[in-house]
Amino acid sequence: MLQSYDALRLEPIDAVRAQIRSGGYTAHTAGLGRNLLQANLAIIPEQYALDFMRFCQRNPKPCPLIGASDTGNPILFTLGRNIDIRTDVPAYNIYRNGQLDRSVTELVDLWSNDLVAFALGCSFTFEHALIEAGIDLWHITNNVTVPMFRSSLETIPAGPFRGPMVVSMRMVPNERVEEAIAISARFPLAHGAPVHAGDPAVIGISNLQEPDWGDRVPVPAGHTPVFWACGVTPQAVIQQAALPLLITHKPGHMLITDIPDTAEIPIITSNNVPK
């Protein structure tokens, strides 16, 4: 039976994952899988995998690497009890030679034995903590995707991978900006503290009402735009590298792991699997 977003927000991860795997839920995952680490996704041919891993190591803010599959194995066993990367993301984008080819809801027919899947921490994780602290996040309250922008902040290149950092934005009440910074800093596996707060022009953003990804949100008086490094960054740099094949999550449509968002090390053990 299909369930709505509001209903799934109250469900445990097994029920959420079953809906995604069956194709019954294909929308964004913000607010789902409460207190579990969510992940961005990049799947690329093995010949580019080592350079991409170097890129993540050199750019840990936008690319906090939390998991990598064995070559050709779609089961991300370090991140969950039965995560199948081919089916357990609500929607995927398929790029060929740097151009978006199509979006799909499963990868069973596209998967091949030379592919490597990388999972990178996602800001949806620290959003749970902000909400618990009483900091309203307009995009979650209104069931839309967080706005994301290309910034003028440059990443450190590795092999063919290079380009500007993508940032995600949330409007925070002026008097709670420092609190939001401190809360998110507790989650280094989910981008950690923001990279900028205040005037967007300082990081090369000219219009907050024209995000490069996601949805526009109100910019109310008494609020400060706060920008966090975003996991769409590796998608953008891989796309720019024009690999013959790149598979990513559709922005906002993340992989929900079984890893608690407070975990020090993002690897499933008998001690940290949710009951």
Side-chain angles (χ1 to χ4, degrees):
M1 185 174 76
L2 304 187
Q3 288 182 280
S4 69
Y5 170 76
D6 288 336
L8 280 181
R9 287 185 69 179
L10 305 176
E11 294 286 352
I13 182 57
D14 286 347
V16 174
R17 190 171 292 139
Q19 282 288 302
I20 293 171
R21 183 173 291 183
S22 70
Y25 183 79
T26 59
H28 71 81
T29 57
L32 302 182
R34 194 172 184 84
N35 301 124
L36 293 174
L37 198 63
Q38 295 204 27
N40 299 281
L41 178 66
I43 301 173
I44 59 177
E46 181 184 30
Q47 70 183 97
Y48 304 102
L50 182 56
D51 276 333
F52 183 68
M53 192 170 288
R54 290 191 185 102
F55 181 82
C56 293
Q57 187 274 330
R58 295 171 186 175
N59 299 279
K61 289 288 279 186
C63 306
L65 186 62
I66 64 170
S69 75
D70 292 332
T71 303
N73 186 354
I75 307 303
L76 279 174
F77 57 86
T78 63
L79 296 180
R81 290 165 294 183
N82 66 340
I83 292 176
D84 188 330
I85 204 63
R86 299 171 298 180
T87 57
D88 293 354
V89 172
Y92 307 81
N93 281 345
I94 313 300
Y95 295 88
R96 297 187 185 278
N97 301 311
Q99 300 299 314
L100 179 63
D101 179 48
R102 57 194 168 114
S103 295
V104 299
T105 57
E106 54 86 15
L107 302 174
V108 174
D109 292 336
L110 284 166
W111 188 263
S112 63
N113 290 332
D114 70 330
L115 293 178
V116 181
F118 293 93
L120 303 107
C122 167
S123 57
F124 288 178
T125 295
F126 71 71
E127 288 181 334
H128 292 312
L130 295 179
I131 292 170
E132 288 176 352
I135 298 175
D136 180 67
L137 299 178
W138 193 92
H139 66 284
I140 291 181
T141 303
N142 291 274
N143 192 17
V144 299
T145 300
V146 69
M148 294 160 273
F149 303 85
R150 283 189 178 87
S151 76
S152 58
L153 303 171
E154 284 296 323
T155 58
I156 300 172
F161 305 115
R162 64 194 65 237
M165 183 186 300
V166 176
V167 296
S168 59
M169 184 200 74
R170 294 152 190 85
M171 298 300 299
V172 178
N174 295 343
E175 68 276 10
R176 305 200 70 179
V177 170
E178 292 303 317
E179 183 183 0
I181 292 171
I183 289 172
S184 58
R186 303 201 311 258
F187 300 94
L189 297 179
H191 304 301
V195 295
H196 179 65
D199 184 1
V202 172
I203 57 171
I205 298 169
S206 59
N207 188 345
L208 293 181
Q209 294 302 302
E210 294 184 0
D212 296 293
W213 297 269
D215 298 303
R216 67 179 67 183
V217 300
V219 183
H223 287 64
T224 297
V226 183
F227 301 90
W228 280 264
C230 178
V232 172
T233 302
Q235 292 190 26
V237 300
I238 297 173
Q239 184 181 355
Q240 180 174 298
L243 302 193
L245 176 65
L246 161 66
I247 303 171
T248 74
H249 64 287
K250 188 176 180 179
H253 301 58
M254 307 297 177
L255 173 69
I256 307 174
T257 75
D258 288 341
I259 303 287
D261 59 18
T262 55
E264 181 180 2
I265 298 172
I267 298 174
I268 278 291
T269 70
S270 59
N271 295 324
N272 65 9
V273 175
K275 306 301 182 186

